[in-house]
Amino acid sequence: MHLPSSTLWLALASICHCFPARQSPWTRALRRDASEADDLSWIKNWAAVGDSFSAGIGAGTRYSSWGDYFCSRYDASFPALINADERLGDANGRTFTNWACSGAKFDDVSKQVKALGDGSQDLITITAGGNDALLTDILNECVFMWKPSGGILNDPCPGVLAKAQAAIDAPGFRSKADELISSAKSKLKSDGHIYYVGYAQFFGQESNQCDSVTWSFWLNYGDRKYLTQDRREQMNILSRNVNKAISDAVARAGPSVTFVDYDKYVSDSHGRFCEDDHPETNGNRAGLLFYEWYTDDNVAPTDDAAAKELFAPSLFTDTLTMNGTFEASIGEYIRQAIAENASLAQTMTLAMPATPNLVQVNATIEQIDRGFSVMSIPDGYGKIFHPRPNAHQLMADLVLYNIEANYAKKLGQEPAPEVVDNDTCPAPRANTAPPPGTTSMSPPAPTSTPDPDATEICGTWYKVLFDHFEIYGAHFDEPKFTSDGE
């Protein structure tokens, strides 16, 4: 029996709130033979390329090997979680290359791909296109107004949204997406595969509860802008249009490329900003999938009563940033605003830690050549509007599901459904023991320890939703049921 995803999502949330992890009513009763399709140990060489959504900015701990710091690569990114999954087998026999970098556009990601050997990869994951669609410009002009182009008293948001849509519709967006995928295909082995991961809508738009909320950065200066229902809807439309352009490029590329769309699950889990019944601002609320102002993954999730109006940030940290990255863009907006109005700096208090130098951050020659600056960035701002670890787990689960499904087809098996049902088994829980043999720019990602119960009882398919809730169920909403029981 298969259930509608929205019903199932709530049902699984209920299960994971009521039972210990990996002990739902049916996982104790099931006995199934292991399926060959979930044995992914054939993956010997694979690579992650892309922007900050692949680098995992803010999620987990920042890597410290050559090139990792400036690119903001973190150990809870979805590529790191994939590489740590036990289905891929012993890491000693596997090479994982991680070139993803904050701020990367199509052209940058194409350079990442070119660094891979021709015909060398069993699979490649990609995220690209968000920065070409002016993500940081939209955040500046429509949400935070660090340094709005039309001036602090004007509303430049409609103009930048139109400009972003024009960028998506431009022939160059299509051609660069096609060229990137074509280049990546040349790096695959004869039976290799590409998984192009899309983006998600950031906002709930079903109610007007956020219409009186502002995240304008300089709250004590100029005209505040609010997260109105119309503004949220327009930004969501752009996210959907970026995904549509990418998925169209994937469709043109043929059967060796799969588009991975996790957006629907973000919506079903109520993990966006300004969700109905979740007052803002509450950066640590249970179930939030993206980093908000002051989100801290190291504190316990808060309930809706913790929502409050924000005030201008007072603590800033001098941060060494590479030109063109997400953090550098924020810092440059703030620098320009202060240059125009020195009084804004009066509210800034710099944190005491010394700024790291190029040796400490293990910068590569290529990164130094690109240029770098010391930027004063408010604490907590460098990762805003990026996936939290629970969202990266969702992305990793869905990529792994698609890998298994495609492998099942090669084995002549019927792929398991994406939506879980009562015949679904959980995934093993990850730990932090580093596997040997990972040869990437990043240090080894966490490995997985098999769960004896899960291995004995299941040892086979487990789908994205169940896996997600087994790990993060406690951070999601309690289930709410409609009159018809859904």
Side-chain angles (χ1 to χ4, degrees):
M1 176 186 71
H2 299 294
L3 303 174
S5 59
S6 58
T7 304
L8 186 58
W9 191 274
L10 294 172
L12 289 177
S14 177
I15 289 167
C16 290
H17 278 295
C18 300
F19 294 88
R22 317 215 169 281
Q23 296 184 26
S24 70
W26 53 78
T27 56
R28 285 294 181 189
L30 285 175
R31 293 292 186 274
R32 295 178 62 183
D33 295 330
S35 167
E36 294 179 4
D38 72 349
D39 178 3
L40 305 181
S41 60
W42 51 268
I43 299 174
K44 301 301 182 184
N45 293 279
W46 80 280
V49 299
D51 53 24
S52 52
F53 275 58
S54 287
I57 185 170
T61 301
R62 198 172 194 161
Y63 285 137
S64 58
S65 290
W66 289 105
D68 288 327
Y69 180 93
F70 267 158
C71 282
S72 297
R73 300 188 187 110
Y74 282 71
D75 66 359
S77 65
F78 79 86
L81 295 174
I82 291 171
N83 195 56
D85 194 279
E86 71 166 5
R87 283 167 282 184
L88 273 67
D90 187 357
N92 281 312
R94 182 171 66 254
T95 299
F96 167 45
T97 303
N98 184 1
W99 295 115
C101 196
S102 170
K105 297 182 178 181
F106 278 131
D107 290 342
D108 303 306
V109 182
S110 291
K111 293 177 182 178
Q112 297 171 19
V113 169
K114 290 178 181 178
L116 303 172
D118 291 345
S120 63
Q121 303 299 311
D122 293 302
L123 69 92
I124 299 172
T125 62
I126 299 175
T127 59
N131 291 314
D132 295 83
L134 311 182
L135 172 62
T136 54
D137 290 346
I138 292 170
L139 294 182
N140 177 47
E141 309 282 32
C142 298
V143 180
F144 295 105
M145 302 190 73
W146 298 299
K147 174 59 176 66
S149 59
I152 200 71
L153 298 178
N154 298 308
D155 186 4
C157 183
V160 76
L161 292 178
K163 186 177 178 182
Q165 186 59 59
I168 298 168
D169 294 337
F173 194 99
R174 173 188 173 115
S175 63
K176 288 185 177 183
D178 289 341
E179 291 165 5
L180 170 61
I181 295 173
S182 177
S183 178
K185 287 171 67 176
S186 72
K187 307 301 179 179
L188 295 175
K189 296 178 181 178
S190 59
D191 57 350
H193 205 95
I194 295 168
Y195 295 89
Y196 202 132
V197 181
Y199 300 93
Q201 299 171 79
F202 291 114
F203 294 99
Q205 61 183 52
E206 290 73 28
S207 76
N208 60 3
Q209 67 96 359
C210 245
D211 284 10
S212 59
V213 173
T214 179
W215 288 347
S216 294
F217 184 72
W218 306 110
L219 296 181
N220 59 341
Y221 173 68
D223 186 21
R224 299 185 185 188
K225 304 303 177 186
Y226 294 87
L227 299 175
T228 63
Q229 193 170 8
D230 177 69
R231 178 164 297 198
R232 286 177 273 132
E233 182 178 4
Q234 293 304 313
M235 286 188 278
N236 280 349
I237 288 173
L238 279 176
S239 297
R240 295 197 299 269
N241 289 346
V242 169
N243 275 357
K244 179 63 166 58
I246 293 170
S247 63
D248 286 349
V250 167
R252 293 190 295 271
S256 63
V257 188
T258 296
F259 179 66
V260 180
D261 182 10
Y262 62 97
D263 181 47
K264 55 189 173 182
Y265 299 118
V266 171
S267 174
D268 285 347
S269 69
H270 303 282
R272 303 168 298 180
F273 307 128
C274 296
E275 293 282 8
D276 197 12
D277 298 329
H278 289 297
E280 294 289 1
T281 296
N282 186 2
N284 294 312
R285 77 162 175 86
L288 184 64
L289 291 175
F290 298 101
Y291 286 109
E292 199 173 278
W293 211 348
Y294 300 128
T295 298
D296 186 351
D297 291 322
N298 297 313
V299 302
T302 54
D303 60 25
D304 290 331
K308 60 184 178 181
E309 183 178 1
L310 289 179
F311 297 93
S314 59
L315 186 63
F316 291 65
T317 300
D318 276 348
T319 305
L320 189 65
T321 62
M322 182 173 68
N323 293 347
T325 60
F326 183 73
E327 306 98 307
S329 298
I330 295 175
E332 179 60 19
Y333 285 132
I334 294 171
R335 187 197 66 77
Q336 291 178 13
I338 294 173
E340 289 188 4
N341 189 334
S343 67
L344 297 176
Q346 295 176 4
T347 62
M348 296 170 57
T349 300
L350 286 177
M352 296 306 294
T355 305
N357 58 44
L358 292 175
V359 174
Q360 290 173 315
V361 303
N362 288 318
T364 66
I365 297 299
E366 292 80 8
Q367 291 174 339
I368 294 173
D369 288 343
R370 183 169 173 176
F372 56 91
S373 303
V374 175
M375 295 290 186
S376 297
I377 301 175
D379 286 12
Y381 260 79
K383 57 190 178 183
I384 50 174
F385 277 68
H386 281 78
R388 298 179 69 187
N390 49 359
H392 278 287
Q393 186 67 60
L394 172 60
M395 297 157 75
D397 292 340
L398 195 52
V399 171
L400 285 163
Y401 163 76
N402 278 277
I403 295 172
E404 288 191 13
N406 286 326
Y407 189 41
K409 295 175 184 177
K410 291 182 179 180
L411 296 175
Q413 301 175 7
E414 182 68 24
E418 181 176 312
V419 176
V420 299
D421 59 21
N422 287 7
D423 199 27
T424 300
C425 303
R429 187 182 298 274
N431 65 32
T432 56
T438 302
T439 57
S440 70
M441 291 189 66
S442 303
T447 56
S448 299
T449 297
D451 181 337
D453 290 332
T455 302
E456 174 192 356
I457 296 170
C458 301
T460 184
W461 295 103
Y462 35 88
K463 315 308 173 293
V464 56
L465 295 182
F466 198 102
D467 186 17
H468 191 56
F469 271 103
E470 282 291 284
I471 296 175
Y472 290 102
H475 291 171
F476 283 83
D477 295 343
E478 291 287 351
K480 296 179 182 179
F481 298 91
T482 58
S483 58
D484 61 0
E486 290 196 356

